[in-house]
Amino acid sequence: MQGLKRTLTVFMLAICLPSPGKAQQQCTNGFDLDRASGQCLDIDECRTIPEACRGDMMCVNQNGGYLCIPRTNPMYRSPYMNPYSNMYPRPPAPVPAPNYPTATRPLCRFGYQLDESNQCIDVDECASESHQCNPTQICINTEGGYTCSCTEGYWLLEGQCLDIDECRYGYCQQLCANVPGSYSCTCNPGFTLNEDGRSCQDVNECASENPCVQNCVNTYGSFLCRCEPGYELEADGITCIDMDECSFSEFLCQHECVNAAGSYYCSCPPGYLLLDDRRSCQDINECENRNFTCTQQQTCFNMQGGYKCLDPVRCADPYIQINENRCMCPAENPGCREQPFTILYRDMDMVSGRSVPSDIFQMQATSRYPGAYYIFQIKSGNEGREFYMRQTGPISATLVMTRPVKGPRDIQLDLEMITVNTVVNFRGSSVIRLRIYVSQYSF
């Protein structure tokens, strides 16, 4: 029998069933309706189908079908093996199919079932979960069957549901993360996701919560911090610290720059007044304002940044006082022969560190005699060699400062003018006692 099972290739069997709900019968495959008798008769496929069995196979008709068996098979002997052999009788005539009564319960086609009224209705395989769709598919019921479709986020390829990479097609405006069957959109820092779940909107950081210490400027996707005048931004981009304007330049103020929170101001030393430009200092004339402490016998002499109380001129012997600032040595006095004929007192002030060379004082003869010429020189007080006399004409000369003089300092120079007259054989001199008061500051 095992050899027989290996060689049998085709077996078809049909059963004649009555059609549901009708008196006229319908025959299944392998039978044909005999209109005269109204019965389903077997069809001899071996005669009606050309080459029903091919090769070394032999066709044997069966009730409702046929068999294809080898022509020689020692393990199988059947009276139907060789219909042309006289060794075996011919197969019996086909048995007529039974004639079922019309009232028999009808059968429905595949995909249908009987309802209470014995009517064939569609079976909803999706609702009854009798479908064969995989979890990534959606069951869609159809008349007599169903179809499997892919869920959203998948597409069907050769019967398989493959995930759609939405990020590849630019579903998100900024950041996209693909997940099985879907995707997720996010935004860069400084943006927020809109209600559509795809587009991004700039976040106004300055409106919600000012992250800056002082001023906040919103930008697309971010923000910038700005500081008030007089402040500068720290490295963290948020904090503002005071700017030391005084460290930028030494020329902001004429005297002293004082840094303040978010600003600066200039100050002047005592004896000066800050001008309207808020940087320059101007000397206060204490003598003119009578803001001094000199006695009635003293003379108030104003200088840059202060004043001097000058005592009255007192002429030393053998000089006699001609006026308040001039002393004369009489020619008839024997003690005056080697002394200057007159001593004139002059006072001047000067700022500290004055640029050099600088002409600071001019000296000249008040009268000129025939045959006379004049020599000008510094007689005393120039031990530091900071000055020299430059003759500018026959009767005049200029005191020149050659080295800067730092104050505060008081300098007294005796400037001598020597008169030489060769006609009358005369030689005499006059002195200007110049007292220079150098202030502490350069303004």
Side-chain angles (χ1 to χ4, degrees), residues 239-257:
T239 308
C240 294
I241 59 173
D242 176 56
M243 182 188 303
D244 187 1
E245 296 87 351
C246 299
S247 64
F248 295 160
S249 173
E250 60 181 2
F251 301 106
L252 289 177
C253 299
Q254 188 175 34
H255 174 56
E256 183 180 6
C257 178

Side-chain angles (χ1 to χ4, degrees), residues 5 32 67 69 115 145 184 239-240 248 265 276 278 281 284-285 292 330 334 351 363 395-396 399 420 428:
K5 291 179 179 178
D32 194 12
L67 294 175
I69 61 176
D115 61 2
S184 175
T239 308
C240 294
F248 295 160
Y265 63 91
D276 292 339
R278 312 308 298 170
C281 296
I284 299 175
N285 193 333
F292 56 83
V351 296
M363 182 179 181
I395 61 171
S396 63
L399 178 65
V420 179

Side-chain angles (χ1 to χ4, degrees), residues 191-213:
F191 294 88
T192 182
L193 195 64
N194 287 325
E195 293 182 358
D196 59 8
R198 296 176 59 183
S199 61
C200 296
Q201 182 177 357
D202 173 57
V203 175
N204 188 348
E205 295 86 353
C206 302
S208 57
E209 181 178 354
N210 189 353
C212 303
V213 173

Side-chain angles (χ1 to χ4, degrees), residues 100-145:
Y100 296 99
T102 58
T104 305
R105 182 180 177 88
L107 296 178
C108 298
R109 289 182 297 167
F110 181 81
Y112 291 85
Q113 63 182 3
L114 289 174
D115 61 2
E116 296 178 354
S117 302
N118 286 336
Q119 297 294 322
C120 292
I121 61 173
D122 175 60
V123 176
D124 190 348
E125 294 86 355
C126 300
S128 61
E129 296 185 356
S130 59
H131 59 84
Q132 306 252 338
C133 300
N134 60 45
T136 61
Q137 295 177 330
I138 299 176
C139 177
I140 301 176
N141 187 62
T142 60
E143 283 292 327

